[in-house]
Amino acid sequence: MRVAAAGAPDQVTFPALGGVGLGSEFYGGVDETTGVDTVLTAVGRGINFIDTAPLYQHSERRVGLALSQLEPAVKDSLIIASKVADECAPFSDNGGHDALSAAGVRCSIENSLRAIGIEHLHVCLIHDLTPAELEDFLAEGGGMDGLRQAKAEGLIGHIGLGTHDKPHAPLHRRFLEDPDAEVLLTVNDYNILRRYAGDDTGAFAAAQAKNAGVMNAGVFYMGLLSGIDPRESYSMGFKGDLTEEMARTIDIASRQWAWCNERGLNLGALALQWAMKNEAVSTCIVGCRTPEEVNGVCDNAAAVVSDEIWTEFAAEFDEEIGLLTEADHWWYVRGETVLS
């Protein structure tokens, strides 16, 4: 466990806890007790940053239930992020307003604060917009004005955009043109198998140019690189439908998993630490569903990986990874919005 360096929103730990698995069925659901215990385990292991969203269904409320069990000083030391622009009643509440409007954003923030049981969001992210929706959000009188007002009143801290980078790197760059844009959340776009956000035209370069923070999610590529058999990981939640279409990528991940096992290594440790090495990354958001998954992530973050292993791993796999095309990645073949 370590604290992120310059450019991070506040002093967030590396890794951080993602909330998508705490209360939704996207990757296979968990019961309420397990969701709450997962948050408590993360805090107990030293994680101080939790990212959630209305879209993650019961996640905000379960984070709040966990926080209510903590000593006030511990609760106050945590850094909490959530999101606006979600339309997913009853978990979101935009007060009957357009989710992209200033009024809708204000209602959404207030609803998240109530659900989590806090008075301030340290990071508030705009969630998964199309290019046209982002323009509406940034326009005068749009949702960005609502975020600015909420920040002026102390309801939120850093303002960010959360979306997948490829093929939407222009969204990140467009957002960073706003003077109050401070944080990017990239999803499934910077990991061992998929590295678009780190390209010269990707999100990281734009963030570094503005000294913006980067919350990098998806280091395990929806579980593919988590350290369990990749063919097993893609049977959970909605991912089972993608196995045939992503066969080439899953095959590489399976061979990476076997390569690590032969050397007494955990693929999850390599996947997490590979992303942690990038100086543009403020923290890696890792979605966990159970205390066991939290402990695994924390252990992976602390594992020792020698320079020799990194060199051998790159020599074994980098050329093949470089030959992967957009068609080998699930958002391309399905055209769906990635969860962020």
Side-chain angles (χ1 to χ4, degrees):
M1 190 71 57
R2 65 184 175 88
V3 174
D10 300 313
Q11 294 297 303
V12 298
T13 47
F14 216 152
L17 177 66
V20 65
L22 299 175
S24 75
E25 301 291 333
F26 296 133
Y27 299 133
V30 297
D31 60 44
E32 186 150 291
T33 298
T34 301
V36 171
D37 286 347
T38 299
V39 177
L40 294 174
T41 300
V43 175
R45 288 296 303 260
I47 289 175
N48 76 349
F49 187 21
I50 302 169
D51 172 65
T52 182
L55 184 63
Y56 307 158
Q57 299 174 346
H58 301 284
S59 179
E60 286 188 323
R61 183 176 58 82
R62 290 177 180 175
V63 169
L65 288 172
L67 298 190
S68 71
Q69 299 183 34
L70 299 173
E71 294 293 330
V74 176
K75 177 179 177 180
D76 292 344
S77 71
L78 300 178
I79 300 168
I80 310 296
S82 195
K83 304 177 181 72
V84 297
D86 285 338
E87 284 278 20
C88 53
F91 306 104
S92 65
D93 183 357
N94 300 310
H97 304 286
D98 188 312
L100 306 183
S101 68
V105 161
R106 178 57 175 253
C107 290
S108 180
I109 291 169
E110 292 175 348
N111 186 62
S112 291
L113 293 174
R114 284 192 300 269
I116 303 170
I118 55 178
E119 297 180 353
H120 173 79
L121 285 174
H122 298 81
V123 182
C124 189
L125 299 163
I126 312 158
H127 205 184
D128 276 347
L129 301 187
T130 66
E133 288 172 337
L134 180 61
E135 291 303 325
D136 289 343
F137 198 94
L138 296 176
E140 184 176 354
M144 194 67 176
D145 283 348
L147 291 179
R148 279 188 267 266
Q149 182 61 34
K151 182 172 183 176
E153 295 178 26
L155 296 179
I156 65 172
H158 302 286
I159 296 173
L161 172 67
T163 188
H164 50 305
D165 184 42
K166 180 73 173 179
H168 292 319
L171 270 75
H172 286 116
R173 292 196 295 271
R174 173 67 182 93
F175 171 68
L176 289 173
E177 293 174 4
D178 190 284
D180 294 306
E182 302 171 281
V183 184
L184 298 182
L185 169 63
T186 56
V187 184
N188 288 323
D189 280 302
Y190 191 73
N191 57 53
I192 286 175
L193 286 175
R194 183 165 148 174
R195 307 177 179 185
Y196 298 121
D199 293 346
D200 291 342
T201 59
F204 291 179
Q208 285 185 296
K210 192 174 180 179
N211 196 33
V214 171
M215 300 161 54
N216 182 46
V219 296
F220 293 155
Y221 204 165
M222 301 185 293
L224 192 62
L225 304 169
S226 63
I228 64 176
D229 187 332
R231 290 157 294 195
E232 178 184 344
S233 74
Y234 257 57
S235 66
M236 295 186 292
F238 71 92
K239 298 175 292 183
D241 294 339
L242 307 172
T243 302
E244 183 176 348
E245 292 164 306
M246 286 187 61
R248 185 180 178 192
T249 304
I250 293 172
D251 176 66
I252 296 174
S254 297
R255 286 186 281 112
Q256 290 177 334
W257 178 71
W259 187 92
C260 287
N261 288 345
E262 291 169 1
R263 291 158 177 79
L265 302 169
N266 188 304
L267 177 58
L270 267 67
L272 179 58
Q273 293 193 33
W274 186 86
M276 289 169 63
K277 288 155 62 80
N278 192 303
E279 63 180 13
V281 175
S282 304
T283 190
C284 290
I285 308 293
V286 184
C288 296
R289 301 178 305 128
T290 66
E292 292 76 18
E293 289 182 357
V294 169
N295 286 324
V297 167
C298 292
D299 292 345
N300 284 337
V304 176
V305 181
S306 69
D307 291 341
E308 182 180 15
I309 287 295
W310 290 120
T311 300
E312 292 177 359
F313 189 85
E316 182 73 19
F317 295 107
D318 276 10
E319 181 177 356
E320 188 174 10
I321 291 168
L323 296 176
L324 289 173
T325 69
E326 294 180 2
D328 293 305
H329 297 294
W330 77 273
W331 52 261
Y332 178 87
V333 296
R334 287 299 174 103
E336 298 177 14
T337 301
V338 72
L339 299 173
S340 58

